[in-house]
Amino acid sequence: MSKRERDRLAIMAGVKRKELTLVQASEVLELCYRQIKRVWRRYQDEGDAGLMHRLRGKPSPRRKPGAVRAAVLALYAEERYAGFGPTLLAEHLERREIAVDHETVRRWLLAEGKWTLRRRRPQHRQWRERKACFGEMVQMDGSHHDWFEGRRTPCVLMVMVDDATNRVWAQFFEEETTHASYDVFAGWVKQHGLPRSLYVDRDSIYRCEGQPSVAEQLAGKAPRTQFGRAMEQLGVKLILANSPQAKGRVERMNGVLQDRLVKEMRLAGISDLAGANRFLRSWLARFNRQFERAAASALDVHRAAARNLDEVLSWEEARVVQADWTVACGGKWYQLDRQHEALSLVRRKVIVRTLRDGREQLLYRGTKLQWRALPGRPERVQPRRAGRQVKAIESPGAEHPWRRLGMAVGREYWRGVKARGRAVRAAARLGRRDSGRPPSVPPPQLGKQNNEQQPIQGTFSRESTRGHF
Protein backbone atom coordinates (compact mmCIF):
# COMPACT_ATOMS: atom_id res chain seq x y z
CA MET A 1 0.00 0.00 0.00
CA SER A 2 1.05 3.56 -0.59
CA LYS A 3 1.43 6.16 2.14
CA ARG A 4 -1.87 7.77 1.27
CA GLU A 5 -3.66 4.44 1.41
CA ARG A 6 -2.11 3.65 4.79
CA ASP A 7 -3.30 7.03 6.12
CA ARG A 8 -6.83 6.29 4.94
CA LEU A 9 -6.68 2.86 6.60
CA ALA A 10 -5.77 4.40 9.94
CA ILE A 11 -8.59 6.98 9.71
CA MET A 12 -11.19 4.42 8.61
CA ALA A 13 -10.15 2.17 11.49
CA GLY A 14 -10.78 5.12 13.85
CA VAL A 15 -14.21 5.69 12.34
CA LYS A 16 -14.96 1.98 12.75
CA ARG A 17 -14.04 2.21 16.44
CA LYS A 18 -16.26 5.32 16.62
CA GLU A 19 -13.35 7.47 17.66
CA LEU A 20 -14.00 9.79 14.71
CA THR A 21 -17.04 10.89 12.76
CA LEU A 22 -17.15 11.00 9.00
CA VAL A 23 -17.15 14.80 9.12
CA GLN A 24 -13.95 14.78 11.19
CA ALA A 25 -12.41 12.12 8.89
CA SER A 26 -13.15 14.24 5.83
CA GLU A 27 -11.34 17.20 7.41
CA VAL A 28 -8.29 15.07 8.30
CA LEU A 29 -8.03 13.46 4.85
CA GLU A 30 -8.97 16.73 3.10
CA LEU A 31 -11.81 15.06 1.20
CA CYS A 32 -15.35 16.23 0.73
CA TYR A 33 -18.17 14.60 2.70
CA ARG A 34 -19.54 12.76 -0.34
CA GLN A 35 -16.09 11.31 -1.15
CA ILE A 36 -15.45 10.18 2.43
CA LYS A 37 -18.83 8.40 2.44
CA ARG A 38 -17.80 6.44 -0.68
CA VAL A 39 -14.46 5.55 0.91
CA TRP A 40 -16.20 4.42 4.10
CA ARG A 41 -18.72 2.32 2.20
CA ARG A 42 -15.93 0.61 0.20
CA TYR A 43 -14.03 -0.06 3.41
CA GLN A 44 -17.10 -1.65 4.98
CA ASP A 45 -17.72 -3.86 1.94
CA GLU A 46 -14.16 -4.96 0.98
CA GLY A 47 -12.09 -4.25 4.06
CA ASP A 48 -8.50 -3.09 3.67
CA ALA A 49 -8.42 -4.00 -0.04
CA GLY A 50 -11.20 -1.50 -0.69
CA LEU A 51 -8.87 1.40 0.10
CA MET A 52 -6.35 0.46 -2.64
CA HIS A 53 -6.34 2.23 -6.01
CA ARG A 54 -8.62 0.59 -8.59
CA LEU A 55 -6.01 0.85 -11.41
CA ARG A 56 -3.32 -1.02 -9.52
CA GLY A 57 -2.07 -4.02 -11.50
CA LYS A 58 -3.85 -2.96 -14.69
CA PRO A 59 -1.89 -2.01 -17.83
CA SER A 60 -1.46 1.70 -18.56
CA PRO A 61 -3.54 3.09 -21.42
CA ARG A 62 -0.36 4.81 -22.67
CA ARG A 63 1.73 1.66 -22.87
CA LYS A 64 3.27 0.61 -26.19
CA PRO A 65 1.66 -2.32 -27.96
CA GLY A 66 3.24 -5.69 -27.41
CA ALA A 67 4.08 -5.93 -31.11
CA VAL A 68 6.27 -2.80 -30.87
CA ARG A 69 8.11 -4.17 -27.86
CA ALA A 70 8.70 -7.48 -29.59
CA ALA A 71 9.97 -5.72 -32.73
CA VAL A 72 12.42 -3.60 -30.69
CA LEU A 73 13.77 -6.60 -28.80
CA ALA A 74 14.13 -8.51 -32.07
CA LEU A 75 16.15 -5.68 -33.60
CA TYR A 76 18.38 -5.52 -30.53
CA ALA A 77 19.07 -9.23 -30.89
CA GLU A 78 20.60 -8.65 -34.34
CA GLU A 79 24.38 -8.72 -34.48
CA ARG A 80 24.75 -5.26 -35.98
CA TYR A 81 22.97 -3.71 -32.97
CA ALA A 82 25.01 -5.62 -30.40
CA GLY A 83 26.27 -3.42 -27.61
CA PHE A 84 23.93 -0.52 -28.39
CA GLY A 85 22.89 1.47 -25.35
CA PRO A 86 19.22 2.40 -24.73
CA THR A 87 19.71 6.00 -25.84
CA LEU A 88 21.54 5.17 -29.06
CA LEU A 89 19.09 2.38 -29.84
CA ALA A 90 16.16 4.77 -29.38
CA GLU A 91 17.75 7.19 -31.87
CA HIS A 92 18.11 4.46 -34.50
CA LEU A 93 14.56 3.31 -33.87
CA GLU A 94 13.38 6.84 -34.60
CA ARG A 95 15.14 6.64 -37.98
CA ARG A 96 13.03 3.54 -38.62
CA GLU A 97 9.93 5.59 -37.63
CA ILE A 98 9.53 3.68 -34.36
CA ALA A 99 8.97 6.31 -31.67
CA VAL A 100 10.02 4.83 -28.32
CA ASP A 101 11.51 6.79 -25.45
CA HIS A 102 15.00 5.75 -24.36
CA GLU A 103 13.80 5.14 -20.78
CA THR A 104 11.14 2.75 -22.11
CA VAL A 105 13.82 0.93 -24.09
CA ARG A 106 15.95 0.79 -20.95
CA ARG A 107 13.11 -0.80 -18.92
CA TRP A 108 12.44 -3.37 -21.66
CA LEU A 109 16.12 -4.35 -21.85
CA LEU A 110 16.39 -4.54 -18.05
CA ALA A 111 13.27 -6.72 -17.88
CA GLU A 112 14.74 -9.09 -20.48
CA GLY A 113 18.12 -9.20 -18.74
CA LYS A 114 19.91 -7.72 -21.77
CA TRP A 115 21.05 -4.58 -19.99
CA THR A 116 22.61 -4.05 -16.58
CA LEU A 117 23.00 -0.96 -14.47
CA ARG A 118 26.61 0.18 -14.27
CA ARG A 119 27.23 2.10 -11.09
CA ARG A 120 30.54 3.87 -10.69
CA ARG A 121 31.98 4.87 -7.38
CA PRO A 122 32.30 8.67 -7.42
CA GLN A 123 35.68 10.26 -6.72
CA HIS A 124 36.36 13.73 -5.46
CA ARG A 125 37.49 16.08 -8.22
CA GLN A 126 38.05 19.81 -8.40
CA TRP A 127 35.40 21.28 -10.66
CA ARG A 128 36.57 23.75 -13.28
CA GLU A 129 34.21 26.15 -14.98
CA ARG A 130 34.03 26.07 -18.75
CA LYS A 131 35.80 28.73 -20.74
CA ALA A 132 33.51 31.55 -21.76
CA CYS A 133 34.45 31.96 -25.44
CA PHE A 134 34.68 29.63 -28.39
CA GLY A 135 38.36 29.03 -29.16
CA GLU A 136 39.65 30.14 -25.76
CA MET A 137 40.87 26.60 -25.01
CA VAL A 138 40.74 23.40 -27.06
CA GLN A 139 41.48 19.98 -25.59
CA MET A 140 43.25 17.36 -27.72
CA ASP A 141 43.91 13.67 -27.12
CA GLY A 142 44.52 10.44 -29.00
CA SER A 143 42.03 7.60 -28.45
CA HIS A 144 43.48 4.12 -29.02
CA HIS A 145 40.71 1.62 -29.71
CA ASP A 146 39.64 -1.21 -32.01
CA TRP A 147 37.50 1.19 -33.99
CA PHE A 148 36.74 -1.29 -36.79
CA GLU A 149 35.92 -4.25 -34.48
CA GLY A 150 38.45 -6.55 -36.11
CA ARG A 151 37.69 -5.60 -39.70
CA ARG A 152 41.19 -4.05 -39.84
CA THR A 153 44.08 -3.48 -37.45
CA PRO A 154 43.50 -1.11 -34.51
CA CYS A 155 44.25 2.56 -35.04
CA VAL A 156 44.03 5.86 -33.17
CA LEU A 157 41.45 8.64 -33.39
CA MET A 158 42.90 12.11 -32.72
CA VAL A 159 40.11 14.12 -31.09
CA MET A 160 39.85 17.88 -30.46
CA VAL A 161 37.06 19.33 -28.29
CA ASP A 162 36.36 22.99 -27.64
CA ASP A 163 36.04 23.61 -23.92
CA ALA A 164 33.26 26.21 -24.22
CA THR A 165 30.95 24.61 -26.81
CA ASN A 166 31.83 20.88 -26.97
CA ARG A 167 32.39 21.21 -30.73
CA VAL A 168 34.36 18.19 -31.94
CA TRP A 169 36.92 17.65 -34.68
CA ALA A 170 38.57 14.25 -35.19
CA GLN A 171 40.62 12.24 -37.67
CA PHE A 172 41.82 8.63 -37.89
CA PHE A 173 45.55 7.76 -38.02
CA GLU A 174 47.59 4.60 -37.81
CA GLU A 175 49.53 5.81 -34.74
CA GLU A 176 49.64 8.79 -32.39
CA THR A 177 52.67 10.68 -33.69
CA THR A 178 53.81 14.25 -34.17
CA HIS A 179 52.68 14.03 -37.80
CA ALA A 180 49.18 12.99 -36.68
CA SER A 181 49.04 15.84 -34.15
CA TYR A 182 50.10 18.30 -36.84
CA ASP A 183 47.43 17.06 -39.28
CA VAL A 184 44.49 17.14 -36.86
CA PHE A 185 45.55 20.56 -35.55
CA ALA A 186 45.83 21.90 -39.11
CA GLY A 187 42.30 20.60 -39.82
CA TRP A 188 40.91 22.54 -36.85
CA VAL A 189 42.81 25.71 -37.83
CA LYS A 190 41.55 25.62 -41.42
CA GLN A 191 37.95 25.42 -40.19
CA HIS A 192 37.95 27.80 -37.22
CA GLY A 193 41.37 29.51 -36.90
CA LEU A 194 44.12 29.41 -34.29
CA PRO A 195 42.88 28.73 -30.73
CA ARG A 196 44.26 30.67 -27.81
CA SER A 197 45.45 27.60 -25.90
CA LEU A 198 45.73 23.85 -26.37
CA TYR A 199 45.21 21.41 -23.47
CA VAL A 200 47.09 18.10 -23.95
CA ASP A 201 48.50 15.26 -21.86
CA ARG A 202 52.15 14.68 -20.98
CA ASP A 203 52.97 12.45 -23.92
CA SER A 204 56.48 12.66 -25.37
CA ILE A 205 54.96 14.40 -28.41
CA TYR A 206 54.20 17.45 -26.29
CA ARG A 207 56.73 17.25 -23.43
CA CYS A 208 60.51 17.00 -23.86
CA GLU A 209 62.39 14.76 -21.42
CA GLY A 210 65.88 15.88 -22.47
CA GLN A 211 68.19 18.20 -20.62
CA PRO A 212 68.27 21.86 -21.73
CA SER A 213 71.25 23.01 -23.76
CA VAL A 214 73.62 25.74 -22.60
CA ALA A 215 71.88 28.30 -24.82
CA GLU A 216 68.47 27.30 -23.39
CA GLN A 217 69.79 27.53 -19.85
CA LEU A 218 71.18 31.02 -20.48
CA ALA A 219 67.87 32.07 -22.03
CA GLY A 220 65.90 30.55 -19.16
CA LYS A 221 63.87 28.27 -21.46
CA ALA A 222 62.95 24.63 -21.07
CA PRO A 223 63.69 22.15 -23.88
CA ARG A 224 60.84 21.81 -26.38
CA THR A 225 59.54 19.14 -28.69
CA GLN A 226 58.87 19.84 -32.34
CA PHE A 227 55.16 20.26 -31.54
CA GLY A 228 55.95 22.64 -28.67
CA ARG A 229 58.24 24.69 -30.92
CA ALA A 230 55.49 24.97 -33.56
CA MET A 231 52.90 26.08 -30.99
CA GLU A 232 55.29 28.74 -29.68
CA GLN A 233 55.85 30.10 -33.17
CA LEU A 234 52.07 30.21 -33.77
CA GLY A 235 51.39 31.90 -30.43
CA VAL A 236 49.26 29.02 -29.08
CA LYS A 237 49.72 28.39 -25.36
CA LEU A 238 50.45 24.69 -24.74
CA ILE A 239 49.04 23.45 -21.41
CA LEU A 240 50.14 20.04 -20.07
CA ALA A 241 47.54 18.24 -17.96
CA ASN A 242 48.66 16.59 -14.73
CA SER A 243 46.01 13.82 -14.95
CA PRO A 244 43.47 12.44 -17.44
CA GLN A 245 40.66 13.87 -15.32
CA ALA A 246 42.08 17.37 -15.77
CA LYS A 247 41.06 17.27 -19.45
CA GLY A 248 37.88 15.35 -18.73
CA ARG A 249 35.87 16.80 -21.63
CA VAL A 250 38.00 15.17 -24.30
CA GLU A 251 38.34 11.99 -22.22
CA ARG A 252 34.55 11.66 -21.90
CA MET A 253 34.20 12.48 -25.58
CA ASN A 254 36.54 9.58 -26.36
CA GLY A 255 34.15 7.27 -24.51
CA VAL A 256 31.13 8.63 -26.38
CA LEU A 257 32.85 8.19 -29.75
CA GLN A 258 34.02 4.68 -28.87
CA ASP A 259 30.39 3.82 -28.21
CA ARG A 260 28.55 5.67 -30.99
CA LEU A 261 31.06 6.00 -33.82
CA VAL A 262 32.05 2.33 -33.72
CA LYS A 263 28.43 1.25 -34.16
CA GLU A 264 27.73 3.82 -36.86
CA MET A 265 30.70 2.59 -38.92
CA ARG A 266 29.51 -0.97 -38.39
CA LEU A 267 26.11 -0.11 -39.86
CA ALA A 268 27.76 1.77 -42.74
CA GLY A 269 30.07 -1.20 -43.46
CA ILE A 270 33.30 0.83 -43.29
CA SER A 271 36.52 -1.13 -42.91
CA ASP A 272 39.31 1.13 -44.22
CA LEU A 273 40.98 4.25 -42.85
CA ALA A 274 40.33 6.53 -45.83
CA GLY A 275 36.64 5.64 -45.94
CA ALA A 276 36.36 6.16 -42.19
CA ASN A 277 37.80 9.68 -42.46
CA ARG A 278 35.36 10.54 -45.27
CA PHE A 279 32.45 9.18 -43.25
CA LEU A 280 33.66 11.07 -40.18
CA ARG A 281 33.29 14.47 -41.87
CA SER A 282 29.55 14.18 -42.47
CA TRP A 283 28.88 12.27 -39.24
CA LEU A 284 30.63 14.88 -37.08
CA ALA A 285 28.47 17.61 -38.61
CA ARG A 286 25.30 15.82 -37.39
CA PHE A 287 26.96 14.98 -34.07
CA ASN A 288 27.88 18.62 -33.40
CA ARG A 289 24.38 19.82 -34.25
CA GLN A 290 22.98 17.38 -31.71
CA PHE A 291 25.43 17.79 -28.81
CA GLU A 292 27.04 21.19 -29.26
CA ARG A 293 26.08 23.74 -26.61
CA ALA A 294 26.07 27.53 -26.64
CA ALA A 295 29.07 29.28 -25.11
CA ALA A 296 28.65 31.74 -22.28
CA SER A 297 29.88 34.49 -24.59
CA ALA A 298 29.05 34.86 -28.27
CA LEU A 299 32.58 36.11 -29.02
CA ASP A 300 34.79 33.86 -31.14
CA VAL A 301 38.40 34.39 -29.99
CA HIS A 302 40.06 32.29 -32.70
CA ARG A 303 42.86 34.14 -34.51
CA ALA A 304 43.46 34.12 -38.24
CA ALA A 305 45.51 31.19 -39.49
CA ALA A 306 49.16 31.91 -40.30
CA ARG A 307 50.08 32.06 -43.98
CA ASN A 308 53.07 29.80 -43.42
CA LEU A 309 51.11 27.27 -41.34
CA ASP A 310 52.47 24.30 -43.31
CA GLU A 311 56.03 25.55 -42.82
CA VAL A 312 55.57 26.02 -39.07
CA LEU A 313 54.00 22.57 -38.62
CA SER A 314 57.22 20.85 -39.61
CA TRP A 315 60.45 19.38 -38.22
CA GLU A 316 63.42 21.73 -37.76
CA GLU A 317 67.01 20.78 -36.92
CA ALA A 318 70.03 23.07 -36.52
CA ARG A 319 73.16 21.94 -38.39
CA VAL A 320 76.65 23.42 -38.92
CA VAL A 321 77.90 24.20 -42.46
CA GLN A 322 81.15 22.36 -43.21
CA ALA A 323 84.23 23.86 -44.88
CA ASP A 324 83.14 22.46 -48.27
CA TRP A 325 79.72 24.20 -47.89
CA THR A 326 77.85 20.97 -47.24
CA VAL A 327 75.26 20.25 -44.56
CA ALA A 328 74.51 16.81 -43.12
CA CYS A 329 71.18 15.97 -41.48
CA GLY A 330 69.35 12.69 -40.97
CA GLY A 331 71.76 10.70 -43.14
CA LYS A 332 71.33 13.14 -46.07
CA TRP A 333 73.82 15.60 -47.51
CA TYR A 334 73.07 19.00 -48.99
CA GLN A 335 75.36 21.23 -51.06
CA LEU A 336 74.74 24.95 -50.62
CA ASP A 337 74.72 27.11 -53.74
CA ARG A 338 77.60 29.43 -54.62
CA GLN A 339 75.29 32.48 -54.68
CA HIS A 340 75.31 32.51 -50.83
CA GLU A 341 79.10 33.02 -50.66
CA ALA A 342 78.62 36.56 -49.32
CA LEU A 343 76.92 35.16 -46.20
CA SER A 344 80.11 33.36 -45.09
CA LEU A 345 78.15 30.33 -43.93
CA VAL A 346 81.13 28.11 -43.11
CA ARG A 347 81.02 27.07 -39.43
CA ARG A 348 77.64 28.77 -39.04
CA LYS A 349 74.37 27.06 -38.09
CA VAL A 350 71.53 26.69 -40.58
CA ILE A 351 68.06 25.21 -40.08
CA VAL A 352 67.09 22.06 -41.97
CA ARG A 353 63.28 22.02 -42.20
CA THR A 354 61.24 18.98 -43.28
CA LEU A 355 57.60 19.64 -44.20
CA ARG A 356 54.75 17.20 -43.65
CA ASP A 357 54.62 16.34 -47.36
CA GLY A 358 58.32 15.39 -47.35
CA ARG A 359 59.73 18.56 -48.91
CA GLU A 360 62.91 20.02 -47.42
CA GLN A 361 64.09 23.57 -46.86
CA LEU A 362 67.37 25.09 -45.63
CA LEU A 363 67.20 28.43 -43.84
CA TYR A 364 69.70 30.88 -42.39
CA ARG A 365 68.22 33.54 -40.10
CA GLY A 366 64.82 33.13 -41.75
CA THR A 367 66.17 33.29 -45.32
CA LYS A 368 65.64 30.27 -47.53
CA LEU A 369 68.85 28.98 -49.11
CA GLN A 370 69.42 27.38 -52.49
CA TRP A 371 70.88 23.90 -52.35
CA ARG A 372 71.07 20.56 -54.12
CA ALA A 373 70.99 17.06 -52.70
CA LEU A 374 74.13 14.94 -52.80
CA PRO A 375 74.00 11.20 -53.53
CA GLY A 376 76.26 10.39 -50.58
CA ARG A 377 78.82 11.66 -48.17
CA PRO A 378 81.40 13.86 -49.95
CA GLU A 379 85.10 13.06 -49.67
CA ARG A 380 86.87 15.25 -47.18
CA VAL A 381 89.99 17.03 -48.55
CA GLN A 382 92.40 18.33 -45.91
CA PRO A 383 93.11 22.02 -46.61
CA ARG A 384 96.78 23.08 -47.04
CA ARG A 385 97.94 25.38 -44.28
CA ALA A 386 99.42 28.70 -45.32
CA GLY A 387 103.06 29.41 -44.29
CA ARG A 388 106.65 28.65 -45.24
CA GLN A 389 107.82 25.14 -45.91
CA VAL A 390 109.64 23.43 -43.04
CA LYS A 391 113.13 22.34 -44.14
CA ALA A 392 114.93 19.26 -42.87
CA ILE A 393 117.47 19.96 -40.14
CA GLU A 394 121.05 19.16 -41.18
CA SER A 395 123.88 18.67 -38.70
CA PRO A 396 126.76 21.21 -38.95
CA GLY A 397 129.75 20.21 -41.06
CA ALA A 398 133.32 19.72 -39.83
CA GLU A 399 134.37 23.27 -40.97
CA HIS A 400 131.44 24.97 -39.36
CA PRO A 401 132.46 27.71 -36.85
CA TRP A 402 130.57 25.88 -34.13
CA ARG A 403 132.91 22.94 -34.61
CA ARG A 404 135.96 25.18 -34.17
CA LEU A 405 134.45 26.74 -31.06
CA GLY A 406 133.81 23.35 -29.49
CA MET A 407 130.09 23.45 -30.22
CA ALA A 408 127.99 20.86 -32.00
CA VAL A 409 130.72 18.28 -31.59
CA GLY A 410 128.35 15.54 -30.60
CA ARG A 411 126.87 13.98 -27.55
CA GLU A 412 129.64 11.36 -27.23
CA TYR A 413 132.33 14.04 -27.01
CA TRP A 414 130.72 15.80 -24.07
CA ARG A 415 130.10 12.52 -22.32
CA GLY A 416 133.86 11.85 -22.53
CA VAL A 417 134.66 15.35 -21.23
CA LYS A 418 132.39 14.81 -18.24
CA ALA A 419 133.93 11.39 -17.55
CA ARG A 420 137.49 12.82 -17.61
CA GLY A 421 136.38 15.65 -15.38
CA ARG A 422 135.07 13.21 -12.84
CA ALA A 423 138.38 11.28 -13.04
CA VAL A 424 140.43 14.48 -12.52
CA ARG A 425 138.37 15.47 -9.50
CA ALA A 426 138.75 12.00 -8.01
CA ALA A 427 142.55 12.06 -8.60
CA ALA A 428 142.77 15.54 -7.07
CA ARG A 429 141.06 14.38 -3.90
CA LEU A 430 143.41 11.40 -3.75
CA GLY A 431 146.57 13.60 -4.34
CA ARG A 432 145.64 16.02 -1.57
CA ARG A 433 145.48 13.18 0.83
CA ASP A 434 148.96 11.95 -0.29
CA SER A 435 151.17 15.01 -0.92
CA GLY A 436 148.85 17.96 -0.94
CA ARG A 437 149.64 18.76 -4.67
CA PRO A 438 147.14 18.11 -7.51
CA PRO A 439 148.40 16.21 -10.55
CA SER A 440 148.60 17.78 -14.01
CA VAL A 441 145.55 17.21 -16.29
CA PRO A 442 146.05 16.65 -20.04
CA PRO A 443 143.81 18.74 -22.33
CA PRO A 444 140.92 16.99 -24.11
CA GLN A 445 141.55 15.57 -27.61
CA LEU A 446 138.83 16.56 -30.14
CA GLY A 447 140.19 14.59 -33.01
CA LYS A 448 139.18 11.25 -31.51
CA GLN A 449 135.41 11.75 -32.15
CA ASN A 450 133.36 10.28 -34.98
CA ASN A 451 133.52 13.32 -37.19
CA GLU A 452 137.29 13.72 -36.53
CA GLN A 453 136.85 17.28 -35.31
CA GLN A 454 140.01 19.37 -35.17
CA PRO A 455 141.28 20.31 -31.69
CA ILE A 456 140.63 23.82 -30.50
CA GLN A 457 143.83 25.85 -30.90
CA GLY A 458 144.69 29.29 -29.70
CA THR A 459 142.50 31.80 -27.95
CA PHE A 460 139.59 33.69 -29.42
CA SER A 461 138.85 37.31 -28.91
CA ARG A 462 135.62 39.21 -29.54
CA GLU A 463 136.94 40.53 -32.85
CA SER A 464 138.08 37.15 -34.13
CA THR A 465 134.67 35.55 -33.62
CA ARG A 466 132.64 38.41 -35.05
CA GLY A 467 130.59 37.36 -38.06
CA HIS A 468 130.34 33.73 -37.06
CA PHE A 469 127.20 34.18 -34.98
Side-chain angles (χ1 to χ4, degrees):
M1 299 179 70
S2 64
K3 183 178 181 300
R4 188 182 68 169
E5 293 170 350
R6 290 196 300 270
D7 291 342
R8 288 187 179 186
L9 178 61
I11 297 301
M12 290 299 103
V15 172
K16 184 177 181 180
R17 294 191 302 268
K18 297 183 179 182
E19 296 175 356
L20 292 173
T21 64
L22 289 179
V23 175
Q24 294 173 333
S26 65
E27 294 176 355
V28 174
L29 296 177
E30 297 180 351
L31 297 175
C32 65
Y33 183 72
R34 293 178 59 186
Q35 180 67 15
I36 200 66
K37 287 181 65 176
R38 285 195 292 269
V39 172
W40 170 246
R41 188 180 306 112
R42 197 180 304 130
Y43 178 71
Q44 288 178 322
D45 295 341
E46 302 178 11
D48 296 350
L51 300 179
M52 299 179 62
H53 201 282
R54 296 297 181 177
L55 296 179
R56 178 168 297 176
K58 294 183 179 180
S60 172
R62 298 173 55 188
R63 70 180 299 179
K64 296 293 181 181
V68 176
R69 175 174 177 171
V72 171
L73 295 177
L75 282 175
Y76 188 77
E78 296 182 6
E79 182 179 358
R80 57 177 181 166
Y81 290 107
F84 273 52
T87 304
L88 184 59
L89 183 60
E91 294 177 7
H92 281 269
L93 292 175
E94 187 176 357
R95 299 178 188 178
R96 291 174 168 265
E97 298 182 354
I98 303 176
V100 183
D101 188 73
H102 63 279
E103 287 299 329
T104 303
V105 177
R106 190 187 309 276
R107 289 195 299 270
W108 289 351
L109 296 179
L110 286 173
E112 295 293 329
K114 298 181 179 181
W115 187 256
T116 57
L117 296 177
R118 293 175 291 181
R119 301 187 183 275
R120 298 179 180 178
R121 179 176 299 178
Q123 297 181 2
H124 178 268
R125 299 292 178 188
Q126 182 70 27
W127 180 79
R128 178 182 61 81
E129 187 177 0
R130 288 177 180 269
K131 297 299 182 180
C133 301
F134 176 48
E136 190 173 354
M137 184 173 73
V138 178
Q139 300 184 14
M140 184 170 71
D141 189 33
S143 179
H144 299 264
H145 186 65
D146 187 11
W147 294 96
F148 296 89
E149 299 177 306
R151 297 188 297 275
R152 75 177 303 277
T153 56
C155 59
V156 62
L157 179 66
M158 299 296 296
V159 183
M160 298 183 68
V161 180
D162 180 68
D163 190 75
T165 62
N166 274 354
R167 184 174 298 180
V168 183
W169 174 254
Q171 190 173 350
F172 283 106
F173 298 94
E174 292 289 350
E175 296 178 354
E176 185 178 4
T177 59
T178 303
H179 198 293
S181 301
Y182 278 161
D183 285 350
V184 69
F185 181 79
W188 179 279
V189 172
K190 291 178 181 178
Q191 289 194 27
H192 309 295
L194 286 172
R196 296 288 174 172
S197 60
L198 195 64
Y199 208 2
V200 296
D201 55 21
R202 292 183 171 269
D203 192 89
S204 59
I205 298 174
Y206 316 109
R207 183 184 67 165
C208 183
E209 299 289 350
Q211 297 295 327
S213 61
V214 176
E216 291 173 340
Q217 292 179 8
L218 294 177
K221 294 183 179 180
R224 305 167 302 173
T225 61
Q226 292 290 342
F227 191 88
R229 185 265 316 158
M231 294 301 104
E232 182 176 346
Q233 291 183 4
L234 294 174
V236 178
K237 183 179 180 181
L238 192 64
I239 306 174
L240 301 178
N242 292 322
S243 66
Q245 291 79 10
K247 51 183 183 63
R249 305 203 195 286
V250 69
E251 294 289 348
R252 289 190 294 271
M253 187 59 66
N254 289 341
V256 173
L257 296 178
Q258 289 176 8
D259 178 39
R260 287 174 168 263
L261 182 57
V262 168
K263 299 174 177 64
E264 295 285 355
M265 290 194 300
R266 181 202 306 167
L267 297 179
I270 297 174
S271 58
D272 63 293
L273 209 62
N277 282 324
R278 289 193 299 268
F279 172 79
L280 195 58
R281 302 294 174 265
S282 58
W283 186 82
L284 281 179
R286 298 194 305 268
F287 184 85
N288 286 328
R289 285 194 299 267
Q290 181 176 359
F291 294 102
E292 185 177 349
R293 56 170 293 168
S297 173
L299 180 64
D300 185 355
V301 296
H302 281 95
R303 293 178 288 109
R307 295 183 178 179
N308 60 338
L309 179 65
D310 292 335
E311 294 182 352
V312 175
L313 300 180
S314 60
W315 292 260
E316 294 185 358
E317 297 289 345
R319 292 294 184 267
V320 177
V321 180
Q322 303 299 322
D324 54 0
W325 288 69
T326 59
V327 179
C329 182
K332 298 181 181 180
W333 297 84
Y334 311 93
Q335 178 70 63
L336 297 180
D337 198 86
R338 187 182 183 86
Q339 61 178 324
H340 303 300
E341 188 173 4
L343 297 177
S344 300
L345 296 178
V346 176
R347 304 304 175 191
R348 297 182 182 271
K349 287 186 177 181
V350 298
I351 300 298
V352 181
R353 174 187 293 168
T354 304
L355 305 182
R356 287 179 292 150
D357 57 4
R359 291 180 298 155
E360 297 167 331
Q361 298 175 351
L362 269 67
L363 300 94
Y364 176 68
R365 296 181 179 178
T367 303
K368 295 181 181 179
L369 305 176
Q370 298 296 325
W371 54 275
R372 61 183 178 87
L374 297 177
R377 180 175 182 176
E379 296 182 1
R380 299 297 183 188
V381 179
Q382 296 295 337
R384 299 181 62 181
R385 296 182 179 180
R388 60 182 182 180
Q389 297 292 333
V390 180
K391 296 182 178 180
I393 300 176
E394 299 179 358
S395 58
E399 302 298 330
H400 197 275
W402 285 10
R403 301 291 189 187
R404 296 195 298 270
L405 295 175
M407 301 178 184
V409 292
R411 186 175 300 174
E412 296 296 332
Y413 168 79
W414 291 114
R415 288 177 180 175
V417 171
K418 292 178 181 179
R420 286 191 291 272
R422 289 192 294 269
V424 169
R425 289 191 294 273
R429 289 193 296 270
L430 182 60
R432 282 195 297 270
R433 289 197 300 268
D434 296 342
S435 60
R437 294 178 59 186
S440 58
V441 180
Q445 300 296 326
L446 298 177
K448 297 181 180 180
Q449 303 303 319
N450 295 334
N451 295 331
E452 297 183 357
Q453 293 92 341
Q454 297 296 327
I456 301 175
Q457 299 177 359
T459 59
F460 297 92
S461 65
R462 190 178 221 173
E463 290 77 6
S464 64
T465 58
R466 186 173 297 167
H468 295 288
F469 299 97

